[in-house]
Amino acid sequence: METNKKIKKRKLSIKKLTIFIIICCIIVCFVILFSGEEKMVKSRYDKILLIGIDAMDPKVTDKLMSEGMLPNFLRLKEIGSFSKLSTVLPAESPVAWTTIATGTNPGKHGLFDFVTRNPENYLLEVSITKQKSKYSTKFESPVKGIPFWRITSDAKIPTTVIRWPATFPPDKVNGVMFSGEGVPDIRGFSSGYYIYTSEGLDEEKKIKVSVNDGMINSKVFGPLGTDRKSIEKSIQIKVDKDKATIIVDNKEYPVDVGGWSDWIRIDFKVGFMKKVSAIAKAYLFSIEPEFNMYLSSIQIDPENPVVDFSYPSKYSKELADAIGLYNTLGMPEDTNALNENAITDKVFLEQVAQIEDERNKMFWYEFNRFDKGVLAFVFDSGDRLQHMHWDEKNLFNVEEGLSVNKEVIDYYIKKDKLLEEVLNKIDNKTALMVFSDHGFTSFERAVSINTWLVENGFMTLTNDYNENDEGALFKFVDWSKTKAYSLGFAGIYINLKGREGQGIVEEAEKEEVINNIIKKLEDFKDPKNNQKVITNAYKREEIYDGDYVEDAPDIVIGFEPGYRMSWQSAIGGLTPEPVIDNLKRWNGDHIVDPSHVPGVLFTNFKINNENPSLLNIAPTVLDILKIEIPKEMDGESLV
Ligand SMILES: [Zn+2]
């Protein structure tokens, strides 16, 4: 017989053993959990939602989170992660989004700037809307690398990509692709508004009208005809006391003073029995004493597109059936009209609000049917808003150079509300990544690198140079005495013999010219305040590698915050002074050294890298979907 003492002792040891086993189990669990975090993330998810918010800035995000204004971004940070996302050089949307999509540096995807040049004749070419030939209505992709959606599509994974920049024309994916930045309007432009006015004379963007017996007879300009001239369409505007009615093809579109019209449908006859269908919206400023009306870019009709901007092509109509007609132009926020004082801030903000409303409808249309694979959606109005509203100095002064307008704050708050709904609706099998391509800074001084090249003896102008002419497209450049020229928002090209049409720099001399320019650029001081203008100037081989490095500018400039390439220099022109005040409404920018303008990254899972970059996104997408990461990708998975 065991004594009570013995029984007690044995019970105690069983108890100890049980506790020991439990502790061991907990330790084992922890070991498995942490060493296998990576595997867990991969097996936990069967689909991935990517929300791109162009130009979402970490300084603003941090500030608004700390003020309690972005509770859902804070919630996402606590669930998973929040970090700055290193961006690319130059920090421009098409380059950055393509870097994200391909997981490669620009040397492998071939997109280096909004614009590039034809080395033979120094003519400017728009990179993101690339016509197959000069007068062709066929377009080709500006991207040479392989974006993640082609890889997921090849792996038969359902893939939907909506409004990703630089994706026109759309790729054939295993799902839906809907192009964003890069889609042209009906005339092949990225912006083409008109002001109909009874004041002044006909000008480039002004159409002079006169009111006769309460009626205006006028016209709109459509696509180019076979004679290379715009096909015109007549319109009538019936004018009442405080409203007008636009009449096109016997259909009436009323518009109040201080209000917007509905979508106006405009069909252009382009040949026998052939028509091109378009849409536009009007805003009526005034009728008395003068008639003033804004007409937006005339855009591709999504119900009957003259050029496909969605895949499958019927998707653009399907979307219009679901959410109503919508802006199809890649960048419909009319920053040009505001910059040129053709519209007021109120009109611009109302337009942005309408566009965001459409984008939200597009997002929820796709989200509500998303049950497998990958859904990627890019919101980009915030970029245009910040360009026009960065430096208003009326709200936050968290640090020098950062003051943010209420309209920008409202945009971030709206995105937080969207995130709240997303977080409430996604299931636990969905990996979520929210990210931006770059941040933002102010644009106070405009730098004409071409003027600087002249002053430093690398460029020579012809005798007929005239200071009042901005000399776009190198109008005054004497190529026989020019060693280097600048085109685009960050690039300098050497006028190389054998490569450039009128090149003079010998191959053997090239390196020395590049070194001289870089050395001098790094000493470049703003004459106004003696501040450094350039953070760094890079040889292309230092920052890019891959098959397309040869297409890059020879030198790529990273400006200091507050400085940016002048509009004139970007198109091959120049200003009399190398640095001038930026007096335009467009007073925020991001095409500075990438170290100053990282983007943001939020995830609903832990990531393995404290300093992620744009290059990590695509490999992470593939990894989570259990697809092998191609060797060409420069980045690694974050899980
Ligand atoms: Zn931008």
Side-chain angles (χ1 to χ4, degrees), residues 93 383-384 387 438 440 590:
S93 299
D383 175 73
R384 320 318 170 219
H387 278 300
H438 52 67
F440 239 81
H590 43 78

Side-chain angles (χ1 to χ4, degrees), residues 149-197:
W149 50 79
R150 273 173 44 196
I151 301 170
T152 55
S153 293
D154 287 347
K156 304 275 180 286
I157 288 175
T159 300
T160 295
V161 182
I162 309 287
R163 297 207 87 266
W164 197 285
T167 56
F168 175 71
D171 279 332
K172 293 180 176 62
V173 294
N174 181 35
V176 168
M177 177 145 219
F178 180 89
S179 309
E181 188 180 278
V183 178
D185 70 10
I186 204 78
R187 305 169 66 201
F189 298 162
S190 59
S191 164
Y193 72 89
Y194 277 102
I195 298 292
Y196 291 76
T197 178

Side-chain angles (χ1 to χ4, degrees), residues 353-410:
Q354 290 169 15
I355 292 166
E356 277 298 287
D357 187 46
E358 289 168 4
R359 305 275 164 80
N360 284 332
K361 286 179 184 156
M362 290 174 186
F363 176 80
W364 290 113
Y365 177 70
E366 282 306 331
F367 182 92
N368 289 331
R369 59 182 200 170
F370 173 48
D371 62 357
K372 269 204 290 277
V374 49
L375 168 58
F377 194 103
V378 177
F379 291 92
D380 54 5
S381 286
D383 175 73
R384 320 318 170 219
L385 255 183
Q386 291 180 112
H387 278 300
M388 310 314 279
H389 275 284
W390 186 256
D391 211 2
E392 298 275 328
K393 295 191 170 46
N394 64 359
L395 246 157
F396 288 136
N397 262 311
V398 284
E399 60 181 67
E400 223 178 304
L402 175 67
S403 50
V404 184
N405 191 294
K406 183 181 172 300
E407 284 75 14
V408 172
I409 293 172
D410 286 349

